Amino acid sequence: MRASTSLLTVPRASGRTICTRPLPLPSTSRSSINYHPRSLHTPPSSLVRQDARTSPCNPQAILSSRLSAGRARNHSSSAAAEPPKAIPEISEENSYDIVIIGGANAGLAFACALLSQPTISSTTKILLLEGSSLDKTRNWSGEGAWENRISSLTWENISWLESIGVWKHIEQSRSCPVEEMIIWANPSPNSFPTIHFPPLGHPMARMTENMNLQRALLRRIEEIGKGKVDIKEGKKVQEMRLGEGERWVGLRVGETEWIKGSLVVGADGPNSPVRLFSKIETYGHAYQTHAVVATLNHPPSSLYPNTTAFQRFLPTGPIAFLPLSSEASTMVWSTLPPHAAALKRLSPEALTLMVNCGYQLPESTLTALTDEMIRADQLGQPLSANQINDLLASLPIPGNTVGETDQPILPPTITSIHAPSVASFPLRLSHANEYLGKRTALVGDAAHTIHPLAGQGLNQGLADVRCLAEVLENARKLGGDLGSITSLADYPRERYPLNHLILSTTDKLHYIFRARNGIVNWFRGTGLEIINELGPLKKLLMGGAGAKPNITTRGEISKSRKNDEREFGRVRGAGDELGQIGGWQMTAANGVESWFTIKGVAKMAGEVGVGLVREGMRKAVGALDNRSKR
């Protein structure tokens, strides 16, 4: 077996790679090369393809190009050249103060957040637009097989959902508390550096199906939103245009119907049409990694209830085990695309074995097994359960030296996997340059996407809508224009720095835990052991992740960011493969990578520490201020 084909070996610099930093692009922002398939920022083909016929060094080509352009402009009958028709008169019935686009978690939660604000609720006309039917959400029974779209809701957000009357509509039998968390990474069979987050006296989070949360949000809207929130479902926005004086946005729904809103809120996901309309660019990078999800079945533990979340960090990414009930859990295995594809093509029995191996085997043995699985998959012959068992019997499994270390508590052994629940999706990191456009605002995935290793994606979106609703309430109390930048300015001031801190920290953790070499392994293992022994630091980290309620505070004003300040972490190209090279090149690459990684780890730790201290100081000041007012 060649090491260069291994998916679980250390990421190394290719022999042809000289510099890992992206070269500066003249007068072009990073977002202009955004990986997003529907990105605003793809340069026109005329600027990308400059061959001998269109080069500026070819005068004949320039003349020919200008003549062609002149002929194209003379085709006045072309549909593209016709000026857009004027927005027709829009009736009062179709005129709204706030239009929310998107009927999933963020959009429904924002409608509930607005209804919880007394001034907004009593004086504001709101519309929720969803392109598909909401009947599946409305009629979800809370019975049968578990959904594979499951999220972790922090205690902070659960407390907020309770306060606005949503949580009472959650199907409690389909929501499982997370009382403890165990995180480990063990490249060496003799070392199991672990962080154990112990119980807090209340659940630090709850695992909840997205459909369960969405039905609860929709029920709350229908319970108290009659005459306040209109819902148009099965209505897709075909066109958006700024109205007269840029005082409102016109939206064409379907072929002929027009509506207008003073403010349009994009809760429409990572491919946000509202962001496209607002000409807001994003920056970030793809991870070249897919997340494989599945519902796992196992017997109930005789030692402890299934309320512990487990996460093991492998060189390809983390594999998470998250509780759903006493006999079911969900898996999120982040790994490279060939590995993810091979896992999905296994039979349920074979996949069950591979998932158990992912949690239990030493990395070297798991690497060898993974290589064989991918090789068989590429030949069109996925491994069977019997073949995997035969390989396990033949592969060496190194053990730890007795007395040197204790293996962490492991998840329950899986007995079966619900086949229809197996799926995968690509992972990416992105952050919008701005949250506000002309008469528009972005929330949730429309504004940012994150690696799932910390389970913060949905929680960030809920924090966004809560903050924006409070900002709009204050603006309405003062008689402000809800859609103006002035009225909305406090929203990005609070949310942008906090979101960026979470995005950046999660991204850096991904690369720190993924790196594999002796020096980095030592630093990472020592760091985990130190953190595990420092109770106050663990409490601070858990508080920062929303594991306990805290006071909403206003962040500092977001400053403009230079390109070099936009880097989230270590970015690899499209050909990122976790291969190895041999000989002196390996030694040299190890040394260089260790040096730069150690420097990067030190810088990352400093940035994360400063961010946590700054946030802690904000909370302390807010608490003192509240106490002085009593």
Side-chain angles (χ1 to χ4, degrees):
M1 175 168 46
R2 295 181 300 174
S4 61
T5 62
S6 174
L7 278 175
L8 288 170
T9 48
V10 185
R12 301 295 183 199
S14 167
R16 300 173 60 184
T17 301
I18 299 175
C19 177
T20 59
R21 293 184 179 179
L23 295 176
L25 298 175
S27 66
T28 304
S29 68
R30 292 181 190 275
S31 57
S32 66
I33 53 172
N34 194 297
Y35 63 86
H36 199 296
R38 293 181 59 186
S39 172
L40 281 170
H41 329 301
T42 305
S45 59
S46 60
L47 298 180
V48 176
R49 298 185 307 182
Q50 289 189 343
D51 54 22
R53 293 170 295 177
T54 60
S55 170
C57 299
N58 187 339
Q60 185 176 359
I62 294 175
L63 178 60
S64 174
S65 175
R66 290 177 177 172
L67 290 173
S68 298
R71 285 194 297 267
R73 286 194 296 267
N74 288 333
H75 286 283
S76 59
S77 60
S78 169
E82 291 180 359
K85 295 180 180 179
I87 299 176
E89 188 71 23
I90 299 176
S91 66
E92 186 64 27
E93 181 184 358
N94 280 344
S95 299
Y96 295 88
D97 297 296
I98 301 173
V99 176
I100 307 167
I101 299 184
N105 290 320
L108 293 170
F110 185 51
C112 288
L114 292 173
L115 288 171
S116 71
Q117 303 295 333
T119 309
I120 287 286
S121 178
S122 60
T123 64
T124 307
K125 191 176 179 184
I126 304 165
L127 172 66
L128 175 68
L129 276 176
E130 167 56 36
S132 58
S133 172
L134 291 173
D135 284 346
K136 183 179 179 181
T137 302
R138 191 175 286 111
N139 300 325
W140 184 72
S141 64
E143 300 175 353
W146 291 89
E147 300 275 339
N148 61 7
R149 295 173 62 244
I150 295 173
S151 298
S152 168
L153 283 168
T154 63
W155 183 252
E156 179 182 357
N157 278 322
I158 292 171
S159 300
W160 174 67
L161 291 170
E162 285 181 338
S163 71
I164 64 172
V166 171
W167 195 254
K168 66 183 180 182
H169 295 294
I170 289 285
E171 181 62 47
Q172 296 298 320
S173 65
R174 305 283 286 206
S175 176
C176 183
V178 177
E179 305 282 356
E180 300 179 69
M181 187 177 299
I182 295 174
I183 300 171
W184 81 99
N186 59 319
S188 166
N190 293 324
S191 174
F192 286 89
T194 303
I195 300 179
H196 173 220
F197 292 102
L200 296 171
H202 61 74
M204 62 180 69
R206 293 189 74 98
M207 302 306 303
T208 306
E209 292 159 289
N210 284 7
M211 193 63 71
N212 193 0
L213 175 60
Q214 289 171 18
R215 187 189 68 168
L217 292 166
L218 186 58
R219 283 185 172 179
R220 182 58 174 170
I221 295 170
E222 293 174 343
E223 179 181 35
I224 64 170
K226 188 175 182 180
K228 302 175 183 178
V229 176
D230 293 342
I231 298 178
K232 291 182 182 288
E233 48 191 294
K235 299 283 188 178
K236 293 185 178 180
V237 178
Q238 305 294 337
E239 184 180 357
M240 294 177 64
R241 276 197 262 162
L242 281 169
E244 182 182 1
E246 298 184 348
R247 295 193 298 269
W248 49 273
V249 177
L251 304 99
R252 180 166 62 87
V253 180
E255 293 302 318
T256 59
E257 183 181 8
W258 281 85
I259 60 175
K260 71 177 181 181
S262 177
L263 171 66
V264 175
V265 176
D268 46 354
N271 299 325
S272 170
V274 175
R275 191 179 68 233
L276 184 73
F277 164 76
S278 305
K279 299 180 181 178
I280 296 175
E281 299 183 349
T282 64
Y283 59 98
H285 57 84
Y287 281 109
Q288 305 304 321
T289 301
H290 285 196
V292 180
V293 297
T295 301
L296 315 176
N297 301 312
H298 51 79
S301 172
S302 59
L303 301 176
Y304 51 86
N306 188 35
T307 57
T308 302
F310 297 87
Q311 188 157 238
R312 180 188 185 185
F313 282 90
L314 297 166
T316 53
I319 176 172
F321 179 103
L322 306 167
L324 295 177
S325 69
S326 61
E327 299 182 355
S329 299
T330 187
M331 173 195 75
V332 184
W333 191 340
S334 302
T335 188
L336 296 185
H339 188 195
L343 288 172
K344 287 174 61 180
R345 281 191 278 266
L346 293 174
S347 67
E349 296 76 19
L351 181 58
T352 298
L353 282 172
M354 286 301 302
V355 171
N356 283 326
C357 290
Y359 291 116
Q360 299 172 6
L361 282 184
E363 281 188 10
S364 58
T365 308
L366 184 59
T367 296
L369 180 61
T370 298
D371 286 340
E372 292 298 328
M373 179 189 69
I374 293 173
R375 185 175 294 111
D377 183 73
Q378 291 173 342
L379 294 173
Q381 301 172 349
L383 293 178
S384 66
N386 289 335
Q387 289 173 316
I388 293 174
N389 279 323
D390 292 341
L391 283 169
L392 289 173
S394 63
L395 292 172
I397 301 180
N400 62 300
T401 303
V402 177
E404 284 192 8
T405 185
D406 293 324
Q407 183 169 322
I409 299 174
L410 295 177
T413 299
I414 309 305
T415 55
S416 65
I417 287 178
H418 182 55
S421 70
V422 180
S424 69
F425 52 90
L427 301 180
R428 58 193 176 189
L429 176 73
S430 67
H431 203 183
N433 280 354
E434 302 169 86
Y435 289 177
L436 304 177
K438 291 181 178 180
R439 297 281 164 184
T440 59
L442 304 177
V443 295
D445 287 350
H448 42 74
T449 59
I450 190 173
H451 195 290
L453 70 87
Q456 290 299 306
L458 173 60
N459 292 296
Q460 283 182 280
L462 294 180
D464 288 348
V465 303
R466 183 176 61 194
C467 173
L468 182 56
E470 291 171 357
V471 168
L472 290 169
E473 172 74 0
N474 291 334
R476 186 57 111 190
K477 286 179 179 178
L478 297 172
D481 178 357
L482 294 183
S484 71
I485 294 293
T486 303
S487 296
L488 298 168
D490 280 346
Y491 167 56
R493 284 175 187 161
E494 177 175 335
R495 291 305 304 157
Y496 206 104
L498 297 179
N499 281 335
H500 191 83
L501 175 63
I502 294 172
L503 291 167
S504 181
T505 302
T506 302
D507 184 63
K508 290 173 174 63
L509 288 174
H510 165 72
Y511 288 109
I512 291 172
F513 278 97
R514 178 172 164 173
R516 289 294 185 274
N517 59 51
I519 298 177
V520 176
N521 290 346
W522 183 86
F523 270 97
R524 181 178 54 240
T526 303
L528 287 175
E529 291 170 355
I530 291 173
I531 292 173
N532 196 52
E533 295 301 321
L534 295 176
L537 179 56
K538 286 199 290 187
K539 289 182 179 179
L540 179 63
L541 292 173
M542 294 166 75
K548 57 182 180 180
N550 55 33
I551 302 169
T552 301
T553 57
R554 297 295 181 197
E556 296 179 357
I557 297 176
S558 177
K559 299 178 180 179
S560 60
R561 299 168 309 284
K562 299 177 182 178
N563 282 338
D564 59 353
E565 294 173 338
R566 289 176 165 186
E567 290 296 335
F568 281 109
R570 183 178 179 185
V571 182
R572 290 184 175 268
D576 180 16
E577 295 180 359
L578 302 183
Q580 285 187 326
I581 55 177
W584 68 267
Q585 297 98 327
M586 170 73 82
T587 304
N590 274 344
V592 172
E593 184 180 26
S594 297
W595 171 244
F596 280 105
T597 302
I598 291 168
K599 287 180 65 179
V601 169
K603 182 180 178 183
M604 294 170 191
E607 291 174 352
V608 173
V610 169
L612 290 172
V613 170
R614 184 180 298 156
E615 178 62 10
M617 291 177 66
R618 289 196 194 106
K619 293 178 181 178
V621 171
L624 290 172
D625 183 56
N626 289 339
R627 187 172 298 175
S628 66
K629 292 178 180 178
R630 291 176 181 174

